[in-house]
Amino acid sequence: MDEQAAEGTTSANGAASSSNCVVTERWIDRVAVVAVSGVVDMLTSSQLETAINGALDQKPSTVVIDFTDVEFLASAGMGVLVAAHDKAGSEVAISVVADGPATSRPLKLVGIADIVSMYPTLDGALAACQT
């Protein structure tokens, strides 16, 4: 119920607007960094999934998903992380940058932090890739 309420907002004229989510990708050597901002919910999680799958198709050593600027992370977004972990297998490491109640807390509560490496900062995640 709460997830549905957070997925869209209503403007002054009463029309529903879609969730705001921006996903970008950049590469540092063989590490793909998929940065996300805004709301990751059932309306926007496909953007995240497409970016992660595109990065995985290029055979990186690691995919770092940066949730630093995510305001809300719904179960649909967490499902994308689990699917990415499964798709990557043992060949590609999946790391997540998450710090705070909107991202790291839900990831820890549902157990995703047990299957992917989590870091509070992008610098920390990138440093771990080089070891």
Side-chain angles (χ1 to χ4, degrees):
M1 209 56 154
D2 291 337
E3 188 173 311
Q4 289 177 339
E7 287 171 357
T9 58
T10 304
S11 64
N13 64 7
S17 62
S18 64
S19 299
N20 180 29
C21 178
V22 177
V23 180
T24 60
E25 178 183 332
R26 68 183 170 116
W27 286 79
I28 302 169
D29 297 322
R30 292 194 58 236
V31 176
V33 178
V34 177
V36 188
S37 64
V39 174
V40 182
D41 59 16
M42 66 185 235
L43 298 176
T44 61
S45 62
S46 62
Q47 291 175 256
L48 176 60
E49 183 175 32
T50 298
I52 292 171
N53 287 338
L56 286 171
D57 289 344
Q58 296 181 52
K59 307 292 184 208
S61 61
T62 305
V63 176
V64 176
I65 300 128
D66 185 358
F67 285 151
T68 300
D69 294 325
V70 169
E71 300 162 10
F72 178 75
L73 178 61
S75 59
M78 291 185 254
V80 169
L81 293 179
V82 172
H85 174 265
D86 291 346
K87 182 175 180 175
S90 61
E91 297 174 14
V92 180
I94 302 288
S95 297
V96 175
V97 177
D99 191 29
T103 54
S104 71
R105 187 167 189 264
L107 292 172
K108 290 175 184 174
L109 285 172
V110 299
I112 293 174
D114 296 333
I115 65 167
V116 300
S117 300
M118 281 186 46
Y119 301 91
T121 66
L122 179 57
D123 288 342
L126 293 174
C129 294
Q130 296 177 6
T131 58

